[in-house]
């Protein structure tokens, strides 16, 4: 029992110690609240705004609306609609996912927009500045007084203003960071300003957010800006030793330094030199720049100086000034040109003004006096074939004379003769030369077409000179005597002629198109045509036909037709082999009435005709209509006489009739039996009642009974007739249609 109690006490102390340590650790790790800006002053307006706060690293915000305690947190900040004037406090905390910080308030003031504004006075009123902290009286170059006014100037509770200003040096560069602060006054005094410095001040109302921020710049510290007045320096020649000095004092008394300090004449070009006034003695003075040009040493240039002169021509004048952008003046030696003496003379130009930057060495030019040439030396051009490449008209003659042509180019596109004139350039000492150039037309080769010939005939030769004396080559060069082809004659390069195309036909062997045929034995023998149906002429062997015996006949074409022989067979058919024929007719009233013919002859190669129909090889005619018919039988080759038999009777009955008085099929009868006077027909209804007895010779039944029209339906009949000498009876039915 005692041990159990000790154990319990030990466990209790451990648990208590554990919770104590946990509490201590939790307290040590408590989160700070997020960073907020409070109060937030908003001007009354309908623009919706969201509150904001800055959480610590790794934390997220929890918004509780206006609840300082309790309520439900949200990650979405409250939305403020600053329409209603007043003050509202919102609360926000942050969490790192384990621990939540305390809530921090954000006070939001909605200020009524009553039209208040704030204005700077238009200038820096340094005269209002009180004695500075060093008891030194303020001056325009040491102090400034910014002043503004707003709608709260008569309010009992002053507004709080936030201000910020930056000081700039004489070159408008900031000399330090912005200085900020707050005040309830409507002015700011700034002391210790150096000479030439400027200040830009920004002020806003920290109490009334409806008042716009205002900015003013003090630009009155330097009332007079002085500029150095150094004059421009005229251009200086390269490497000139007499260089002007750069004075340290301007003509208007400003002292300072030059950069660079000395003028450098070694390199041509334009260079900038800057004078900066002493910033201590002249803080309100600007710098000055001078652009100094160093001119290069140049040789005199004479663009129109002649190199040649014709003997006796007017002497050119030697110019006393060069054609350089900046002319160089000087003198010549000799000073005039003499064109009466042939040869080369050298003229020397010596500049007379060093300020024009000429090269020190004199410049020389040579002038050649040439004799007059009476002929340019061009050779006449031979006639040119039309369309040929035009030769070039050289502007330099064989004698070395330069000039121009008119026309400038030879035109080979039209036939005719044109004069071309060469005119020497000035000082070429030559005279004009003219010659004619003739463009001739192309001749057409007049080879005669080669007539068609037969395969394997000797190939004709292709002449290399046409009848009108044009030489050239053929392609292909040799005629192929196995197949037709196209051959092109191309004139030689020296021929002014066109090509010629010739189609040569090589005929393939043709067979005469005679056909085998038959004749009846004993009939007059036909003659053998000397011309085939396809126009080939020739002779036959044998040359006459034997009308009693079958034989072969060979046709040999005449020469020059590119044709081959042909053999045909003439068959002689026996005549009058048909003696007679028998006919067999199917029984009367059969569904398929047939007439079958059996010829009485040694052969059965015959043609058969029913009535006026077409002849056929089959001796059987099927589905023959009822009535009398004729049959004709003749030999298939037409040999012998045809045999014709008439009055072949096929007995059948009509399957329906239409008694509608239209004149067609109005009565019913078995007309093929009209020649049998003893034949009788009995018509019954479906119950066997006798309706009518008629004779095939009569007009037939009209579909009535005792003057009454009978209905459309089937009716039965019985007929008694004679066939092949015996009396027969047949029963069936037909249809009455209305």
């Amino acid at each position: 029992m005692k041990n159990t109690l000790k154990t319990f006490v030990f466990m209790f102390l451990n648990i208590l110690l554990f919770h104590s340590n946990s509490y201590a650790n939790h307290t040590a790790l408590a989160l700070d609240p997020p960073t907020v800006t409070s109060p937030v002053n908003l001007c009354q307006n309908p623009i919706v705004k969201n509150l904001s706060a800055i959480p610590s690293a790794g934390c997220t915000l929890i918004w509780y609306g206006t609840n300082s305690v309790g309520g439900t947190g949200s990650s979405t900040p409250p939305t403020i609609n600053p329409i209603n004037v007043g003050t509202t406090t919102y609360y926000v905390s942050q969490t790192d996912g384990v621990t939540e910080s305390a809530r921090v308030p954000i006070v939001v003031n909605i200020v009524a927009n009553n039209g208040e504004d704030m204005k700077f006075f238009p200038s820096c009123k340094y005269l209002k500045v009180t004695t500075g902290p060093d008891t030194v009286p303020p001056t325009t170059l040491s102090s400034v007084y910014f002043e503004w006014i707003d709608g709260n100037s008569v309010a009992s509770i002053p507004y709080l203003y936030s201000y910020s200003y930056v000081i700039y040096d004489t070159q408008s560069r900031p000399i330090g960071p912005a200085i900020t602060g707050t005040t309830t006054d409507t002015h700011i005094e700034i002391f210790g300003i150096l000479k030439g410095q400027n200040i830009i001040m920004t002020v806003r109302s920290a109490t009334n957010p409806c008042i716009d921020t205002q900015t003013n710049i003090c630009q009155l510290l330097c009332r007079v800006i002085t500029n150095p007045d150094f004059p421009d320096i005229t251009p200086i020649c390269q490497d000139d030793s007499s260089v002007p000095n750069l004075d340290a004092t301007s003509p208007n008394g400003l002292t300072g330094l030059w950069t660079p300090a000395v003028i450098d004449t070694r390199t041509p070009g334009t260079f900038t030199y800057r004078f900066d006034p002493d910033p201590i003695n002249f803080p309100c003075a600007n710098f000055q720049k001078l652009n100094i040009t160093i001119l290069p040493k140049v040789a005199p240039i004479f663009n129109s100086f002649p190199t040649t002169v014709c003997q006796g021509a007017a002497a050119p004048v030697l110019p006393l000034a060069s054609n350089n952008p900046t002319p160089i003046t000087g003198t010549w030696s000799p000073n005039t040109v003499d064109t009466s003496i042939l040869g080369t003379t050298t003229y020397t130009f010596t500049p007379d003004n060093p300020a024009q930057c000429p090269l020190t060495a004199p410049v020389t030019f040579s002038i050649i006096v040439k004799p007059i040439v009476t002929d340019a030396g061009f050779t006449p051009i031979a006639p040119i074939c039309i369309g040929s490449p035009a030769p070039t008209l050289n502007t330099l003659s064989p004698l070395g004379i330069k000039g121009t042509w008119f026309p400038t180019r030879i035109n080979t596109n039209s036939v005719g003769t044109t004069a071309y004139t060469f005119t020497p350039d000035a000082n070429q000492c030559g005279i004009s030369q003219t010659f004619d150039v003739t463009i001739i037309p192309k001749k057409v080769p007049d080879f005669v077409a080669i007539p068609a010939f037969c395969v394997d005939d000797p190939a004709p030769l292709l002449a290399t000179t046409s009848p009108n004396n044009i030489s050239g080559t053929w392609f292909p060069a040799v005629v192929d005597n196995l197949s037709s082809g196209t051959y092109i004659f191309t004139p030689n390069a020296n021929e002014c002629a066109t090509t010629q195309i010739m189609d040569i036909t090589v005929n393939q062997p043709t067979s005469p198109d005679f056909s085998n045929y038959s004749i009846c034995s004993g009939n007059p023998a036909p003659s053998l045509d000397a011309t085939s149906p396809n126009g080939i002429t020739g002779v036959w062997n044998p040359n006459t036909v034997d009308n009693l015996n079958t034989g072969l006949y060979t046709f040999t074409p005449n020469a020059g037709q590119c044709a081959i022989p042909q053999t045909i067979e003439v068959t002689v058919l026996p005549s009058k082999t048909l003696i007679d024929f028998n006919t067999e007719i199917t029984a009367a009233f059969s569904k398929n009435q047939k007439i079958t013919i059996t010829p009485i002859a040694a052969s059965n190669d015959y043609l058969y005709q029913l009535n006026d129909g077409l002849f056929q090889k089959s001796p059987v005619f099927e589905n023959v209509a009822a009535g009398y018919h004729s049959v004709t039988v003749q030999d298939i080759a037409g040999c012998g006489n045809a045999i014709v038999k008439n009055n072949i009777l096929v007995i059948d009955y009509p399957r329906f009739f239409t008694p509608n008085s239209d004149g067609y099929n109005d009565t019913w009868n078995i007309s093929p039996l009209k020649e049998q006077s003893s034949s009788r027909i009995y018509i019954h209804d479906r119950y066997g009642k006798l309706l009518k007895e008629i004779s095939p010779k009569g007009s037939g039944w009209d579909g009535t009974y005792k003057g009454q029209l009978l209905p459309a339906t089937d009716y039965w009949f019985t007929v008694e007739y004679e066939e092949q000498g015996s009396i027969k009876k047949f029963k069936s039915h037909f249809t009455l249609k209305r």
Side-chain angles (χ1 to χ4, degrees):
M1 182 68 177
K2 186 182 293 184
N3 290 335
T4 301
L5 181 60
K6 288 181 179 181
T7 300
F8 175 76
V9 171
F10 178 75
M11 292 178 63
F12 176 76
L13 291 175
N14 276 316
I15 293 171
L16 183 62
L17 179 61
F18 172 78
H19 282 285
S20 175
N21 288 336
S22 297
Y23 177 77
N25 291 335
H26 181 74
T27 303
L29 297 175
L31 283 176
D32 291 330
T35 302
V36 301
T37 299
S38 182
V40 176
N41 296 324
L42 300 176
C43 183
Q44 182 184 18
N45 62 69
I47 300 176
V48 176
K49 298 181 178 296
N50 290 328
L51 284 181
S52 63
I54 302 174
S56 302
C59 295
T60 57
L61 299 174
I62 302 176
W63 295 91
Y64 287 96
T66 58
N67 297 310
S68 60
V69 295
T72 302
S74 172
S75 60
T76 303
T79 299
I80 300 172
N81 192 345
I83 296 178
N84 299 321
V85 175
T87 299
T88 305
T89 303
Y90 298 88
Y91 295 89
V92 63
S93 67
Q94 66 179 0
T95 178
D96 59 4
V98 177
T99 306
E100 182 179 355
S101 71
R103 304 180 188 181
V104 61
I106 300 176
V107 177
V108 178
N109 296 317
I110 309 300
V111 179
N113 189 353
N114 54 13
E116 293 182 12
D117 60 359
M118 177 173 61
K119 294 182 180 179
F120 266 126
F121 284 115
S123 62
C124 307
K125 299 182 179 180
Y126 67 92
L127 296 177
K128 288 188 176 183
V129 177
T130 61
T131 302
D134 54 0
T135 68
V136 177
T139 69
T140 58
L141 300 180
S142 66
S143 305
V144 66
Y145 182 96
F146 284 99
E147 185 178 16
W148 60 90
I149 188 171
D150 60 40
N152 194 47
S153 58
V154 296
S156 59
I157 300 176
Y159 279 168
L160 179 66
Y161 301 97
S162 296
Y163 63 85
S164 172
Y165 65 86
V166 178
I167 301 175
Y168 295 86
D169 63 12
T170 58
Q171 304 302 321
S172 301
R173 294 170 295 191
I175 62 175
I179 299 172
T180 61
T182 58
T183 181
T184 57
D185 294 330
T186 58
H187 66 273
I188 294 291
E189 299 181 5
I190 302 174
F191 301 97
I193 306 302
L194 298 178
K195 294 179 180 180
Q197 293 178 344
N198 296 327
I199 300 176
I200 295 179
M201 169 71 73
T202 299
V203 178
R204 68 180 180 86
S205 173
T207 305
N208 188 348
C210 297
I211 298 178
D212 294 334
T213 300
Q214 300 292 321
T215 299
N216 195 15
I217 180 170
C218 178
Q219 297 177 326
L220 302 177
L221 298 178
C222 287
R223 292 180 177 275
V224 178
I225 304 298
T226 304
N227 295 319
D229 59 350
F230 289 101
D232 292 334
I233 296 177
T234 58
I236 303 170
C237 292
Q238 183 180 7
D239 295 326
D240 195 340
S241 58
S242 57
V243 179
N245 294 323
L246 296 174
D247 292 335
T249 302
S250 67
N252 59 345
L254 301 180
T255 61
L257 297 176
W258 285 94
T259 305
V262 179
I263 298 175
D264 185 355
T265 64
R266 292 173 296 176
T267 304
T270 299
F271 305 93
T272 300
Y273 292 78
R274 172 169 168 158
F275 177 79
D276 288 296
D278 187 340
I280 302 300
N281 296 321
F282 302 100
C284 292
N286 286 331
F287 62 84
Q288 182 182 0
K289 290 182 180 180
L290 287 181
N291 291 326
I292 300 176
T293 299
I294 307 300
L295 300 176
K297 291 292 184 69
V298 294
I301 299 173
F302 295 93
N303 296 336
S304 60
F305 198 89
T307 58
T308 61
V309 179
C310 296
Q311 185 178 16
V317 177
L318 297 175
L320 299 180
S322 72
N323 297 113
N324 298 75
T326 300
I328 299 173
T329 60
T331 59
W332 291 93
S333 179
N335 60 0
T336 59
V337 177
D338 186 357
T339 63
S340 62
I341 302 174
L342 297 177
T344 301
T345 303
T346 300
Y347 298 83
T348 302
F349 178 79
T350 302
D352 59 7
N353 186 357
Q356 295 172 340
C357 302
L359 291 175
T360 56
V363 179
T364 61
F365 294 91
S366 295
I367 297 178
I368 302 173
V369 178
K370 291 184 176 182
I372 300 296
V373 179
T374 59
D375 185 2
F378 287 104
T379 302
I381 297 175
I384 304 171
C385 184
I386 186 170
S388 298
T392 302
L393 294 172
N394 289 323
T395 56
L396 180 64
S397 78
L399 299 181
I401 299 175
K402 294 181 180 179
T404 57
W405 287 93
F406 182 81
T408 58
R409 295 179 181 178
I410 295 176
N411 180 12
T412 64
N413 294 324
S414 58
V415 174
T417 299
T418 304
Y420 292 83
T421 300
F422 176 79
T423 301
D425 292 342
N427 298 324
Q428 290 296 293
C429 306
I431 61 175
S432 299
Q433 180 179 358
T434 300
F435 55 79
D436 293 335
V437 177
T438 300
I439 309 301
I440 60 177
K442 290 184 178 181
K443 294 192 296 183
V444 179
D446 58 352
F447 288 101
V448 178
I450 295 176
F453 60 91
C454 192
V455 168
D456 288 332
D457 283 355
L461 297 178
L462 294 171
T464 57
T465 301
S466 68
N468 57 344
N469 205 32
I470 299 173
S471 299
T473 57
W474 286 93
F475 182 80
V478 179
V479 176
D480 183 357
N481 66 346
L482 297 179
S483 60
S484 300
T486 298
Y487 297 80
I488 300 175
F489 176 78
T490 302
N492 293 334
N494 62 335
E495 298 280 3
C496 184
T498 62
T499 59
Q500 181 177 356
I501 297 176
M502 182 183 296
D503 292 326
I504 300 178
T505 301
V506 178
N507 293 324
Q508 300 299 319
T510 304
S511 175
D513 56 353
F514 291 106
S515 300
N516 297 330
Y517 62 91
S518 301
I519 63 174
C520 295
S521 176
N523 285 358
S527 60
L528 294 171
D529 290 336
T531 302
S532 69
N534 57 347
I536 300 173
T537 62
V539 295
W540 288 94
N541 184 26
N543 59 1
T544 58
V545 176
D546 182 354
N547 65 346
L548 297 178
N549 299 296
T550 298
L552 298 177
Y553 300 83
T554 300
F555 178 81
T556 302
N558 294 328
Q561 297 181 95
C562 200
I564 59 176
Q566 181 186 7
T567 299
I568 65 171
E569 182 179 18
V570 178
T571 302
V572 179
L573 303 174
S575 300
K576 302 180 179 179
T577 57
L578 180 63
I579 300 173
D580 196 2
F581 65 86
N582 295 324
T583 59
E584 180 183 352
I585 305 171
T586 52
F589 308 114
S590 297
K591 289 186 177 181
N592 182 7
Q593 296 283 2
K594 296 181 181 179
I595 299 176
T596 303
I597 301 169
T598 303
I600 301 174
S603 172
N604 63 352
D605 198 6
Y606 299 99
L607 295 177
Y608 306 90
Q609 181 187 44
L610 180 65
N611 300 324
D612 294 326
L614 297 176
F615 281 94
Q616 64 182 40
K617 289 186 177 182
S618 173
V620 179
F621 297 98
E622 297 191 59
N623 298 309
V624 180
Y628 289 94
H629 300 278
S630 65
V631 173
T632 302
V633 180
Q634 70 175 26
D635 184 80
I636 194 170
C639 298
N641 296 324
I643 300 177
V644 180
K645 290 186 177 182
N646 298 311
N647 298 321
I648 300 174
L649 178 62
V650 174
I651 301 175
D652 202 358
Y653 69 94
R655 299 309 191 262
F656 67 91
F657 77 112
T658 56
N660 54 7
S661 300
D662 62 354
Y664 177 75
N665 210 20
D666 286 334
T667 60
W668 186 89
N669 202 346
I670 304 176
S671 56
L673 298 176
K674 62 183 178 180
E675 300 298 330
Q676 298 184 18
S677 58
S678 60
S679 179
R680 310 304 291 177
I681 301 172
Y682 305 94
I683 300 174
H684 309 269
D685 64 11
R686 60 188 303 179
Y687 303 107
K689 179 180 179 180
L690 179 63
L691 300 177
K692 188 72 172 178
E693 177 185 348
I694 61 175
S695 169
K697 297 173 65 176
S699 59
W701 183 47
D702 61 0
T704 63
Y705 178 69
K706 294 183 179 181
Q708 299 295 321
L709 297 177
L710 293 181
T713 184
D714 286 351
Y715 293 89
W716 275 254
F717 69 93
T718 301
V719 57
E720 296 175 352
Y721 64 99
E722 180 183 346
E723 188 176 33
Q724 297 179 356
S726 60
I727 302 300
K728 294 184 178 182
K729 184 181 291 187
F730 176 75
K731 293 182 180 180
S732 188
H733 62 87
F734 61 92
T735 301
L736 187 155
K737 296 182 179 181
R738 293 193 183 275

